[in-house]
Amino acid sequence: MPGSSPTPDPSTTSTAAARAARGARGVGSAPPGACPPQRTGAPGAPRPRADEVPDPATAVADAAAADVAPSAAGPAVPEPLARPLAEPPAEPPRAAPAQPPAGRPRPPRTFGLVLLLGSMAALGAVNTDLYLPSLPQVARDLGSSAAGAQLTITVVLVGMALGQLVVGPLSDRYGRRPPVVAGCALFVVASLLCLVAPTLPVLVALRFLQGLGVAAGAVTGMAVVRDLFTGSTASRLMSRLVLVIGVAPLFAPTLGGALAGVAGWRAVFAVLALAGAGVLLAVRLRLPETRADAPAAGPAPGGRGVRATLAQALGTYARLLRDPRFVGFALLPGLAMAVIVCYVSVSPFVFQEVHGLSTTQFALLFAVNGVALVGGTQLNAALVSRHAPLTLLRVGVTCSAALSLVLLVVVLTGAGGFAGLLVVLWFLLGVGGLVSPNAVTCALEEHGRTAGSAAALVTAAQSGVGGAVGILAGALGGDATAMAAVMVGATLTAACSLLVAVRARRAAVAPA
């Protein structure tokens, strides 16, 4: 009848009830062997994955809503039960805390690391400077000449040079810690044996072993810095190392002279053995293995291991020496050291014999110039946080070359007198602090896996070039003119070496 409610069709009601019952049973209630329900969407739609099957209770609610929801396009069509359910947006992943690389322990704090590495490197300088005032007593007690006693200093330098070339590849092959531990132990044993050395030849041989032992400190210290840091941070740390290494020898001669005067020259070796034992203990307790891929065990024992190590060392040195960029940077610390060695070897004669300074006045002036040496490296540590190491290296090399030329003019013309000579020399020594730390950083930057071998070549070149230039200054007359001329040659060579290194880098990154 018009206006009355339509009577529900029993078939329609039963059909809706059947659909609801099927939804309540869910997908998982299909009888065994039956085909899974097909998607009712567009033909060819992909089947749902097993992980997309919804919870049964949610499926019932979706089915009921689909049965009664009106559609503008026609009768309501239920949504498939296996459609993916909407999930709340996931929270963005939190950044994991920074962890050290696998296999590498967390390094000590910067202050402790600088003190430890500086002590390792300064042990070589203390070994020489603490013993230096004892040379006259050694010559008297062992019945030798002054030249024979001085041989005990020369063999230490030779041992250090050879030891550096050996320790570098070993630290790359076996890790950083083992060579330092072995070197410090050798130094302690050799120092104790020096206490009872009966003759000068025995003392010379033991001093050579001391040089081999302390060689591990400087090489491994540079390699550890390269393992942990690069760029400006590495250069800053190198500058701090120079501070520790430079302060230790300032007091060593005074302490060695007082000790030799009270207890004799053999007591100096007892103090050196104590110092070596302290460094050895600190290395065992505080120095981490900074090379992450250091092998847990060395190569096969016997001849094969020795031959493999030797072949690897020679191959690594050959590759490094074929790299013009590395060679250019590696020569710069030696050329900077040449300026310092030239000053140290010639200045006593120039200042005392030519300009009439007393021993006390010369010692005071030497300390003032020492402040320039240490202060330049600390200025570099402050500037390197705002300027790239290569930029500061260019400034240091350029200023060194310019100041050495000014020094030569002052010496030849006498302009400014003695005061002018001192001022120019002070600034020349100071700007050298911008050269060595940044040159070492740039030289080792691209040789992380062979940092030990690269550091060995840098330190060997530093000792060799510095010693050769010191001899050259003496051969040219050992006066102020010879000092200034040699400094000019060293700084201009440094400028050419830097130019070669920079151009080699640009050629390496240039497109083919």
Side-chain angles (χ1 to χ4, degrees), residues 6-421:
T7 303
D9 187 356
S11 62
T12 306
T13 305
S14 62
T15 303
R19 285 198 300 268
R22 285 197 302 270
R25 284 198 303 269
V27 176
S29 61
C35 296
Q38 299 296 322
R39 187 179 180 93
T40 57
R47 292 185 178 184
R49 300 190 307 269
D51 57 352
E52 295 177 340
V53 178
D55 183 75
T58 308
V60 173
D62 288 345
D67 283 345
V68 299
S71 174
V77 179
E79 291 289 330
L81 298 181
R83 65 180 175 87
L85 300 179
E87 298 181 357
E91 295 183 0
R94 296 181 180 179
Q99 298 292 337
R104 181 183 300 177
R106 192 180 299 273
R109 294 179 301 175
T110 302
F111 176 78
L113 183 65
V114 169
L115 192 59
L116 176 58
L117 299 182
S119 300
M120 290 163 43
L123 189 60
V126 172
N127 180 40
T128 300
D129 296 338
L130 194 70
Y131 169 76
L132 197 59
S134 303
L135 287 179
Q137 287 189 17
V138 171
R140 288 195 306 268
D141 291 353
L142 298 182
S144 172
S145 62
Q150 291 172 356
L151 188 61
T152 60
I153 298 293
T154 305
V155 294
V156 170
L157 301 178
V158 174
M160 289 179 63
L162 295 178
Q164 288 165 356
L165 295 177
V166 173
V167 168
L170 290 179
S171 69
D172 290 334
R173 186 170 178 84
Y174 296 96
R176 309 304 182 201
R177 281 171 51 90
V180 184
V181 172
C184 291
L186 176 62
F187 176 78
V188 172
V189 172
S191 299
L192 292 175
L193 292 176
C194 286
L195 281 169
V196 294
T199 61
L200 184 66
V202 174
L203 182 61
V204 168
L206 293 174
R207 290 285 287 169
F208 176 78
L209 293 180
Q210 278 188 315
L212 287 178
V214 297
V219 173
T220 308
M222 289 184 182
V224 167
V225 172
R226 173 57 185 83
D227 290 339
L228 297 177
F229 308 101
T230 56
S232 300
T233 307
S235 181
R236 186 184 307 110
L237 202 63
M238 291 288 184
S239 300
R240 302 304 186 199
L241 284 179
V242 173
L243 176 63
V244 178
I245 297 171
V247 168
L250 293 179
F251 305 99
T254 303
L255 178 61
L259 186 62
V262 173
W265 62 271
R266 296 183 186 270
V268 173
F269 291 105
V271 174
L272 288 175
L274 268 175
V279 174
L280 175 60
L281 181 62
V283 168
R284 290 294 302 269
L285 295 179
R286 301 299 300 168
L287 182 66
E289 179 50 68
T290 57
R291 188 180 169 197
D293 58 344
R304 291 183 59 188
V306 173
R307 287 197 299 269
T309 302
L310 180 60
Q312 181 185 18
L314 295 178
T316 301
Y317 284 142
R319 286 193 300 271
L320 290 171
L321 293 175
R322 287 196 302 267
D323 182 3
R325 179 176 179 269
F326 169 78
V327 173
F329 285 130
L331 288 177
L332 293 178
L335 293 169
M337 178 61 68
V339 175
I340 299 174
V341 170
C342 186
Y343 156 73
V344 170
S345 60
V346 176
S347 61
F349 303 97
V350 174
F351 292 166
Q352 295 186 64
E353 295 181 4
V354 177
H355 296 281
L357 294 184
S358 64
T359 304
T360 304
Q361 291 173 333
F362 172 74
L364 180 60
L365 184 60
F366 196 85
V368 171
N369 289 333
V371 171
L373 288 169
V374 177
T377 59
Q378 302 318 297
L379 175 63
N380 179 75
L383 294 177
V384 79
S385 59
R386 297 190 296 271
H387 305 282
L390 183 57
T391 301
L392 295 176
L393 181 59
R394 286 169 171 164
V395 172
V397 170
T398 304
C399 292
S400 296
L403 287 170
S404 64
L405 290 172
V406 173
L407 180 66
L408 181 60
V409 172
V410 169
V411 169
L412 293 177
T413 63
F418 185 53
L421 173 66

